[in-house]
Amino acid sequence: MDKIAQDVGDIQSRLLDHRPVINAEIRYFVREFEEKRGHRESRLLENLNKMVLESNEQMLPTNLEGMNQLLSDVTKRLEAANHMAERVQQRELEAQQSAQLQANMERLKDEWAEFLKEQQRLKEEVDEEHAKAIGQVSTKYCEMKKDLSKFQPL
């Protein structure tokens, strides 16, 4: 059992522990970079850094003035474009609201016409009921009149 545990530990360390491989790669890189190339890259980087600093000192002030002018022009154009876009958006919104308002007005007109039809129908029903009630009351009073005339002395 100890042998199996030791074999599993060895397998785990070989599969999951990358430190030996990484250390070997680091040693190889250091040897390749420092020993064989003789600090050539560091000299090239220093020269490149010096050239960049010189170009910044010479080119930056002249380009900075041009960039400020260009930036102000671009800013003005962007503001004008934003203003125009806002106006177009406002017109679009007004047109949309106008169309929506028109649709609402049409819907309200239809609803009003339907309401008037319903009111007219209800009025006719009430008029019919009223006419029936008047007819019933009239017949009732006519009958009462007949009954009353029977009891009155002539």
Side-chain angles (χ1 to χ4, degrees), residues 117-130:
K117 286 179 186 176
E118 180 67 19
Q119 291 301 313
Q120 184 64 30
R121 185 185 63 77
L122 291 173
K123 179 184 172 269
E124 289 171 0
E125 285 180 11
V126 168
D127 286 346
E128 275 182 37
E129 289 177 14
H130 181 69

Side-chain angles (χ1 to χ4, degrees), residues 6-7 13 27 41 43-44 46 48 60 66 70 74 76 96-97 104 111 113-114 129 137 139 142 147 150-151:
Q6 185 180 7
D7 287 344
S13 68
R27 282 193 302 273
E41 282 80 10
R43 285 193 304 269
L44 288 174
E46 287 174 8
L48 185 61
L60 187 63
L70 181 64
V74 169
K76 287 177 185 175
Q96 187 180 26
Q97 287 176 344
N104 285 344
E111 288 178 5
E114 189 67 31
E129 289 177 14
V137 168
T139 51
C142 283
D147 288 342
K150 287 180 188 176
F151 294 112

Side-chain angles (χ1 to χ4, degrees), residues 19 22 24 29 31 34-35 37 39 51 74 94 98 107 110 112-113 118 121 125 128 144-146 152:
R19 283 181 277 171
I22 292 174
F29 180 77
R31 188 179 69 234
E34 290 180 353
E35 296 172 2
R37 296 187 184 181
H39 301 286
M51 286 174 41
V74 169
E94 288 172 359
S98 175
R107 182 180 54 81
D110 293 342
W112 183 253
E118 180 67 19
R121 185 185 63 77
E125 285 180 11
E128 275 182 37
M144 286 175 64
K145 208 180 223 182
K146 284 181 188 176
Q152 279 187 359

Side-chain angles (χ1 to χ4, degrees), residues 22-35:
I22 292 174
N23 287 335
E25 285 293 320
I26 290 171
R27 282 193 302 273
Y28 173 76
F29 180 77
V30 167
R31 188 179 69 234
E32 182 71 25
F33 189 77
E34 290 180 353
E35 296 172 2

Side-chain angles (χ1 to χ4, degrees), residues 56-101:
N56 276 344
E57 291 171 359
Q58 292 173 358
M59 300 295 286
L60 187 63
T62 58
N63 286 339
L64 192 59
E65 294 169 1
M67 290 301 284
N68 282 338
Q69 180 64 32
L70 181 64
L71 184 62
S72 67
D73 290 345
V74 169
T75 304
K76 287 177 185 175
R77 289 184 182 190
L78 280 175
E79 287 173 355
N82 278 341
H83 181 68
M84 290 171 60
E86 286 174 1
R87 283 185 18 213
V88 167
Q89 192 176 22
Q90 184 66 27
R91 286 182 186 160
E92 176 90 14
L93 182 63
E94 288 172 359
Q96 187 180 26
Q97 287 176 344
S98 175
Q100 194 175 28
L101 183 64

